[in-house]
Amino acid sequence: MNIVIAFAVTMFFSCQSKKITSPDYLESEEAPIAEAFEVNLKYTDSGRLTAILKASRILDYSNRSFAYHEFPEGIILDIIDEDGKVSVVTSDYAISYQETGIIDMRGNVDILTADSTHLQAKQLYWNQNLSWVFTDQPYKSYLPDGTINEADGFDANQDFTILNSRINDGVMFIEE
C-alpha cells in the first residue's frame, strides 16, 4: 500500500507544470537566434561578384514571424556594377527585412556612387525587390558637375538615373 501511495504522489507532482517567470527566460525569448562579429559577406550573381557587405555585428532574428537581420553598429556595402565600378553605401545602423526585401538604414547614411554622385541622409530605405531607394527625411546630394540639391525626401531607382525629389533647394550650374 505504501508503494502505491508513493507512486501516486510521485505521479501527481511530476505532472504539475511550473511557470517560469525569471527574467532570464524572458530575455531569451527576445534574443536573436544567432550573432555574428566582423562579418565580410560577398554576394555573387551568375559567378560575378555584385556586392560586399561589411558589418561589425549582425543579429539574426530569422526565428520571428516577421524575420529580420539587425546591424546595430552599422554597415558598409560595396555595390559592384557590371563594369566593375563600385558604389559605397554606409550607415550607423541598418535592419533588413527578409519577407519584404526592404533595408532600413539610419544615422549618417552616405552613398558615394561610381560616377562620384554623393548623397547624405538621416534615413534611407532600399527596396531590393524593386531596386528602388526612398526617404521622407531631409537629404543632400552633390552631383559630379557641382550641382548641390537639398530636399525633404526623394525616391529613385538604385542607379539614380530616375530621381523624384520633393521641396528642393539647391545650386545648379547651367551652360549658356
Side-chain angles (χ1 to χ4, degrees):
M1 182 70 162
N2 288 338
I3 294 175
V4 172
I5 292 172
F7 182 76
V9 170
T10 304
M11 290 295 290
F12 178 75
F13 284 112
S14 67
C15 291
Q16 280 186 337
S17 66
K18 292 183 180 179
K19 186 175 180 182
I20 300 172
T21 58
S22 73
D24 294 337
Y25 176 76
L26 295 174
E27 287 176 3
S28 68
E29 289 289 308
E30 298 297 319
I33 63 166
E35 185 173 9
F37 297 93
E38 301 304 324
V39 176
N40 187 351
L41 292 173
K42 296 184 182 198
Y43 296 90
T44 59
D45 183 10
S46 303
R48 184 180 70 81
L49 183 64
T50 58
I52 300 170
L53 173 70
K54 297 174 198 143
S56 298
R57 186 170 164 224
I58 300 176
L59 303 175
D60 181 359
Y61 292 95
S62 59
N63 59 331
R64 303 266 173 100
S65 60
F66 194 70
Y68 63 93
H69 291 96
E70 184 177 10
F71 304 84
E73 296 169 14
I75 61 167
I76 300 172
L77 177 63
D78 296 339
I79 302 170
I80 305 160
D81 69 12
E82 291 179 6
D83 297 327
K85 296 178 184 172
V86 179
S87 297
V88 181
V89 180
T90 60
S91 71
D92 293 342
Y93 172 87
I95 189 165
S96 173
Y97 299 99
Q98 295 170 315
E99 190 174 319
T100 61
I102 291 180
I103 299 175
D104 176 0
M105 295 172 277
R106 300 178 193 171
N108 298 312
V109 179
D110 193 278
I111 300 174
L112 182 58
T113 65
D115 73 348
S116 299
T117 298
H118 189 197
L119 184 131
Q120 297 171 322
K122 294 178 182 179
Q123 183 174 23
L124 187 71
Y125 297 98
W126 175 25
N127 186 325
Q128 297 173 308
N129 298 336
L130 299 176
S131 301
W132 204 256
V133 294
F134 57 96
T135 186
D136 288 326
Q137 300 291 320
Y139 79 95
K140 193 170 192 177
S141 65
Y142 305 89
L143 301 178
D145 67 359
T147 300
I148 300 171
N149 185 42
E150 290 184 68
D152 288 335
F154 77 92
D155 62 297
N157 64 352
Q158 70 184 25
D159 299 330
F160 288 96
T161 55
I162 300 171
L163 177 72
N164 303 309
S165 185
R166 296 180 285 282
I167 310 171
N168 294 311
D169 284 326
V171 176
M172 181 179 277
F173 296 100
I174 301 172
E175 289 186 34
E176 292 188 55

